[in-house]
Each structure stands twice: as structure tokens, then as C-alpha cells.
Amino acid sequence: MEPLKLSRLLYRAKVWFSHRRLSSSISQAQRANTRKEEFRSRVAAGPLLKDFVSPVPASSAPSCMEEDDDDDDPHYITESPPTTHNKVYFETYGCQMNVNDTEIAWSILQKSGYVRVNSATEADVILLVTCSIREKAEQTIWNRLKQLGFMKRKRCNSQGPMRIGILGCMAERLKEEILQREKLVDILAGPDAYRDLPRLLSVAETGQQAANVLLSLDETYADVMPVQTSSNSVSSFVSIMRGCNNMCTYCIVPFTRGRERSRPVHSILEEVRMLSSQGVKEVTLLGQNVNSYLDTTSVQIPSTETPHLSRGFSTIFKPRQGGLRFVDLLDQVSRIDPEMRIRFTSPHPKDFPDEVLHLIRERHNICKQIHIPAQSGSNRVLEAMRRGYTREAYLDLVQNIRENIPGVSLSSDFITGFCQETEDDHQQTLSLLRDVSYNAAFLFAYSMRKKTRAFHRLIDDVPPEVKKRRLEELIEVFREEAEQVSQRAVGSTQLVLVEGVSKRSDSDLCGRNDGNTKVIFPDLPMASNSLSENEVRARPGDYVLVKILSSSSQSLRGRLLGLTSLQSSQAFS
């Protein structure tokens, strides 16, 4: 066929198909318009809104001037009756933040009609508030779930089904594995999903598994007033911020608790005032990186100045400008009650500018005890951990703290057996323990966590037996140094906040001094200043003076001198 004839045929075919598509589109549009017109006709011929509404007699119509709260409520919304199987039991594992999370979860469930019980056997709902920081912590939960599974299967039919829930970091990290491996788990709630607990439990009552592990960018539970779950009314934890931005290579926290966000100052102050009115004598401010606190919601303080870090420290994220910082919060909290001790944990060494240290020194009710996690004494390991400082910068900070706060007590965290840690790295960590001489330390063997940078970039190549041996050596060196630190307290007079009866002897009381060291002393009567009584005994919540007579690496023993107050005992604190 000639090229000219072929091109004409192709052109005619193209025109024919285009016309066909256009005709089809027009016919479809016509049919759609026809259907719309038919629908409008049916609606116009149908009943109106008034046909569905019964007329209200004029005599019964409410006056717009009447103040009746019931009439303000939508009548199509009814409150769900509380479940009949509403007895809840909490088990809390891990850090102080989990203790506070338990109090938040209990506050939410209490408002939904649940009743808290003190044993798992009488509970309809068992909630485990979990930790994922190390493999050992998770294994404890797996073992506990086996025990609870046996209880669940043996539960009498007359008691109704038992529901089991996993809350907190482990729910966030192992959500699919928990639901698939442990069919007995009914609900999962991540650290930012506690408000959803009533709904999750309602779903679980139908026999389904329910989960909410979504992380939030702004959830701080600022409007949820925690309900204390411990019998100790002397001290309490107050959460001031959640999450962490540091992204240390070994740490799972940013992936289980999300990014940093701080609770508004006014909410924190309200809770501390409430605790003070209830007689609480010691408050610990909590956060994954507590001293990086920054509230930009309540008061805006414009500033072009970059926030100060500890000298020689750096951070991988860009510091935010303005707002109320940790030193501002600490200042306001310490002013609420001069007889209330203030502590805070867990800080990062980078966030100790001089103004924070000066405030701790000047304010008598801020405890002279600082936690400064080192993690390692080796610069090579610190860099691999992405800690943002060197051994030398850390030791400079220790010296600066001791110069600004005479008599300060120091505690720390250490991880041994991190990826590619050599014997020389280990020896440098041991030497740091000796150089600083901590009052307390938390020592752990490294366990790799999925999702962390170390999991993706490094190799966990230190054998378990080597980790175990190095950990034992860390513990031994720490105890040797801690015993010498405690020995220096013998002969001094310490201000002690009484917590209760000693666990080892009913004839002794125990409490903690300003440095957070346990002090044990005999429960003996003391002379009273009251005319109506000749003798009194120390009770939980009292401040007493104790003469220290002996010591160990973990505690002090002494003789009770008498009752006192926080303000009047500055010479002994």
C-alpha cells in the first residue's frame, strides 16, 4: 500500500474513534443528568423534616432563661455503663517514668469506673507497664506472661474472662510479635496511648485483640492528674517531659517514647502544689532527658542567643530558641514549698550550664545530688555511642559541679561490652570510676536493641562471657570507691527524710539523706517540745537529724538525735 493512502486511512480511523468516544461521553452525561432530575423529583415529593418531629406542647417547652444542666446535654448521647468486670491490677517494671505512667493510666481508668485491686488473682484486668531498655527486662515480661496465661486459663467461668494488657515501651517496640506470639494478650497500649485504654478494654471484652501504639509529637498528659499508686506518701514523681532527641546509637528510647516534648510549666506547678497540700515531702522531676526541658506554650521569651550547653559538649539536633528552660522550671518548683525536697532524673551531661548549678547551690530545698550518666570512659566508645563529649570534657564537668556545689553527691550510668569495645576501652572505664568516685552507679552489660543506630550500623561482637566478666569488674571497682565515699560521712550529722520501717528490722527506721543515700537508725522515742507529751517517735515524712556511726557502699547507719525541719537544719545538710 502506498504511504499516502496508508496515512489517510489512519487519519480516518483516528477521527472515527474520537467521534465515537465523544458520542459516548455525551450520552453518559445525558443519562447522568436524567438520573439527577429523577432524584430531585422524588425528594420534592417525599416527606419533610417536620414529618419526623413530634410537636412539643407549649407548656412543656423549656424556657431559654432556665438554668438546667441536663437540657444542655445532647439527648442522643448516653453514658456507657461501667463494665461489670472492672477490677484492674497494675504491675510496673523498669524506670521511674514507668511508675509515673502507671499513675497516669490509673487516673484515666479510675474515671471510667474501674476499681484497683492489690492482687492479680482477684483482678479482671491485669496491666503490665513494661520496659524495653535491655533484653533482660523484656525476658522478665515474657516469663510473667506465661504465669498469667496459666491463671487466665484456670479462671472460673463464673468470674468472667480475664484480660491482660501490655503497656509502655515493650508494647511500642514489639507490637506485632506480642500479639502473634502471645494470643492471651488482649490489649497493647504504647506510652502515648493511655487515654485510649477505656476503649481498648471495651474492644477486648468482645473477644478481640486491641492495640494503639501510635507515637505522638505533642502528648504530655498535661491535663491528667496522676493518682499515686504506691503506699509511700512521703515522695512522688512528677513527669515534666517525654521522649528524647539525643539519638545515642545504643538507645531505644527515641523509638519507643518518641521525640522530646515538654509539659507546660503551669501544669507542673499545679501538680506540685497539690502534692504539697497532701503532705508529700519530696518530689522528683522526671524526663528521659529531664534537663533539656523547654516550654514554649505558656510564655514566649524571644531570644537570639543559642542555649548554653555544658562546656565541651555538643548535640546532633538544632537547639530551639526562646521559651522557659529547665533552670526556670526548677526555680519556680523550688519556691512552692520550702519544706519540700526537689530532685530530678534522668539528665544528660550536656545540659548543665552554670546557671543550673548556681541555682542548685543557692536553693536549700534542691538536693545537692546530681546524676551524670557517663556510659563509658573511652573516647573511642563515646564517639561510637554518639554521646557528644569526650572523657576530658566529662571530667571537666565533674570538677565544675564540685566547685559550684560543695559536698555534692554524684551518680552515673555505665554500659560495658558495647560494640567493638576493647580491653583497653574497658580499662579506661574502670579508671573513670576511680577518678570520679561516685556515690551511686547503675551498671549494665550492653544488649543490642532493634531499630537503634547500633543495630543498623555496628556489630555486637563482644562475647557474652566477656561482657559478664567486665560487668563484674565494674561492680567491684564501684563498690570499693563507694565504700570510701560513705566512710567519709562517718562522724557527721545528716539531715534525713524518714520513709518508714527498715526492711531488715522492725526496730529500725530508714530514710534518705540529701545525697539520696539510705540511712538506717533505731526507732527510739525522742523528747517532745509539746507540753502534752513527754516523748514522740519519728514518723514517715518527718525530717530528723542522725549522727552517722558506720557505713557500707550502699547505706549509712546512725543514731537518732531529734526532729528538725528542712529550713532550720542548713548547718547539717
Side-chain angles (χ1 to χ4, degrees), residues 341 360-369 405-409 492-497 512-515 543-546 564-573:
R341 277 178 170 172
I360 296 173
R361 178 187 63 203
E362 295 165 4
R363 216 49 66 80
H364 73 276
N365 61 336
I366 302 178
C367 291
K368 310 304 182 280
Q369 178 252 329
I405 310 173
V408 67
S409 296
S492 66
T493 299
Q494 301 273 328
L495 173 69
V496 177
L497 175 61
R512 293 189 178 270
N513 64 8
D514 189 84
Y543 289 107
V544 295
L545 294 175
V546 178
T564 186
S565 66
L566 191 55
Q567 293 189 82
S568 63
S569 60
Q570 293 311 295
F572 303 101
S573 60

Side-chain angles (χ1 to χ4, degrees), residues 247-252 254-255 381 383-386 415 417-420 446-461 467:
M247 300 300 290
C248 299
T249 56
Y250 57 83
C251 188
I252 192 66
F255 305 98
V381 174
E383 183 178 3
M385 288 179 168
R386 203 155 66 171
I415 297 172
F418 186 65
C419 304
Q420 300 176 331
Y446 174 68
S447 63
M448 183 170 277
R449 306 281 82 193
K450 291 182 179 179
K451 297 184 180 181
T452 62
R453 183 181 177 87
F455 179 79
H456 294 289
R457 304 289 183 89
L458 302 176
I459 300 174
D460 185 11
D461 57 354
K467 291 180 182 180

Side-chain angles (χ1 to χ4, degrees), residues 43-55:
V43 170
L48 302 176
L49 177 62
K50 65 181 181 179
D51 297 317
F52 294 94
V53 180
S54 301

Side-chain angles (χ1 to χ4, degrees), residues 517-537:
T517 301
K518 182 183 292 186
V519 181
I520 302 170
F521 52 94
D523 180 11
L524 299 175
M526 300 170 290
S528 171
N529 294 328
S530 173
L531 297 177
S532 60
E533 293 183 87
N534 293 326
E535 292 181 334
V536 296
R537 289 182 180 272

Side-chain angles (χ1 to χ4, degrees), residues 10-27:
L10 291 174
Y11 174 76
R12 290 173 182 173
K14 183 177 180 181
V15 170
W16 185 83
F17 280 115
S18 299
H19 178 73
R20 184 70 177 265
R21 285 197 300 268
L22 179 63
S23 300
S24 176
S25 299
I26 293 173
S27 61

